[in-house]
Amino acid sequence: MRFRRTVRCLLIVYTLLSSNYVFALDGPFNKNSASTIHELFTIPNSHVFQYSETSLKPLFYRGGEPQRSSDFQSLQNIGIQHILIFKLSRNNEVEIEKAKLEALGWQSTDLSHIPMSWNPQNNFEPACEMIKTALLILEQNYAAEKATYVHCSVGEDRTSLLAALWKIWKRANSKLQTSDAPWIYETYKNEMCRYGYGMGLVRTNKPLDIVQKIEASLTPLYVAVASEIINIKKRNGDLGELSCSSLKPVQVNYKCEPNMTFQTNQTKGELYE
């Protein structure tokens, strides 16, 4: 009898592990959204997007919103020194998160909140200014080698946009001669679609009307800012030169598709080369 019970338990475990779901502390989530960082396995969709060039250790992390006490403790355990919250606050959720973090020892100066909407619509200039502020924070933390965790709600759209723009800023240089458009698209595909932007692979049950609004508002914003920060790098400028008042949305046909393939030869500090 005991042997049969053991066999049954093993079969259940095998079924769960081979299915599309894994179990976090509060129940199942789609394993396509799972973290690639072992220490942050309870925070879905968490990944490294920048390594230190001196120590080659992870420096910038991205992902979903931490919610459990264990999530906040895990962030502290891996040495996160700054948290950048890139989302609107609804039902005081950002204030609650900041209170939990401060209770664990984070100072208010270690926490940045930028109220970025996933659907800026006609508020293009304010959204651009928020992106600029976030990029300047990342640049400051990169110079100081301050480990930073960036998140919105689920780490798919706003977080993907910011991580992609950071990678473009970090890797662009004054000698860039090739056309910008393919490079901007490849970063869109590998840093945004890969992690669930729009109708990306992470959460395929995102409502279609939400996807359409993201493609109509965030994507043109991404392309416009990406093009401008490449131009700034070409003339050896700095991020402070990004002028949001003069930028206009760039309409493109970018779309994340379920059958996309991604480059797998990423290395520490490299951008899809």
Side-chain angles (χ1 to χ4, degrees):
M1 189 70 173
R2 185 176 299 172
F3 174 78
R4 288 181 180 176
R5 255 190 226 130
T6 301
V7 171
R8 191 179 300 122
C9 289
L10 289 173
L11 286 173
I12 291 172
V13 170
Y14 174 79
T15 301
L16 290 173
L17 291 176
S18 60
S19 71
N20 286 330
Y21 295 91
V22 292
F23 281 77
L25 295 182
D26 64 346
F29 60 84
N30 194 303
K31 74 178 182 182
N32 290 329
S33 300
S35 168
T36 54
I37 306 166
H38 174 72
E39 295 86 352
L40 301 181
F41 79 96
T42 63
I43 307 178
N45 209 18
S46 52
H47 316 277
V48 175
F49 70 98
Q50 178 66 60
Y51 288 83
S52 164
E53 289 190 357
T54 55
S55 67
L56 296 184
K57 293 180 179 179
L59 187 61
F60 291 164
Y61 302 75
R62 51 169 293 178
E65 178 183 2
Q67 296 181 335
R68 313 166 187 84
S69 296
S70 60
D71 295 343
F72 297 107
Q73 190 63 59
S74 295
L75 291 171
Q76 194 171 48
N77 290 345
I78 65 171
I80 296 298
Q81 299 167 286
H82 193 108
I83 294 183
L84 174 53
I85 305 169
F86 199 54
K87 56 175 286 182
L88 293 171
S89 181
R90 302 187 186 280
N91 301 317
N92 294 319
E93 56 193 3
V94 171
E95 291 73 19
I96 292 171
E97 177 180 346
K98 291 172 75 173
K100 290 180 178 178
L101 290 165
E102 289 173 2
L104 283 173
W106 266 286
Q107 303 297 313
S108 59
T109 52
D110 301 329
L111 310 173
S112 298
H113 174 218
I114 299 176
M116 180 72 180
S117 170
W118 60 267
N119 184 25
Q121 296 180 328
N122 297 323
N123 298 318
F124 184 81
E125 184 177 342
C128 174
E129 291 289 354
M130 291 182 201
I131 291 170
K132 178 180 177 180
T133 299
L135 289 172
L136 287 169
I137 290 172
L138 290 178
E139 187 172 52
Q140 182 179 8
N141 288 355
Y142 180 78
E145 295 214 336
K146 182 178 287 188
T148 302
Y149 183 76
V150 179
H151 77 82
C152 49
S153 293
V154 291
E156 293 181 353
D157 301 306
R158 289 162 289 189
T159 298
S160 290
L161 176 144
L162 184 59
L165 288 172
W166 168 259
K167 284 201 167 184
I168 286 176
W169 171 252
K170 186 68 182 64
R171 292 299 153 199
N173 58 66
S174 60
K175 297 180 181 179
L176 188 64
Q177 299 295 326
T178 57
S179 172
D180 299 342
W183 197 44
I184 291 172
Y185 174 73
E186 284 303 310
T187 307
Y188 164 86
K189 184 175 76 171
N190 286 288
E191 193 63 40
M192 296 170 71
C193 297
R194 181 195 293 266
Y195 300 120
Y197 182 85
M199 193 61 81
L201 297 180
V202 173
R203 193 178 67 176
T204 55
N205 63 332
K206 190 181 296 180
L208 181 59
D209 63 320
I210 301 296
V211 173
Q212 291 172 339
K213 289 176 182 177
I214 288 167
E215 291 173 344
S217 58
L218 285 186
T219 303
L221 178 62
Y222 160 74
V223 177
V225 175
S227 300
E228 183 56 25
I229 60 179
I230 288 175
N231 289 333
I232 292 171
K233 268 293 184 75
K234 284 181 178 179
R235 60 177 184 260
N236 291 311
D238 59 63
L239 268 174
E241 297 176 25
L242 176 60
S243 175
C244 293
S245 61
S246 62
L247 285 187
K248 302 297 180 185
V250 177
Q251 300 299 327
V252 291
N253 292 321
Y254 292 3
K255 289 185 184 297
C256 297
E257 303 290 349
N259 60 349
M260 275 183 163
T261 58
F262 305 106
Q263 294 187 23
T264 58
N265 61 335
Q266 300 174 54
T267 58
K268 296 179 179 180
E270 297 294 328
L271 173 66
Y272 318 120
E273 295 175 338

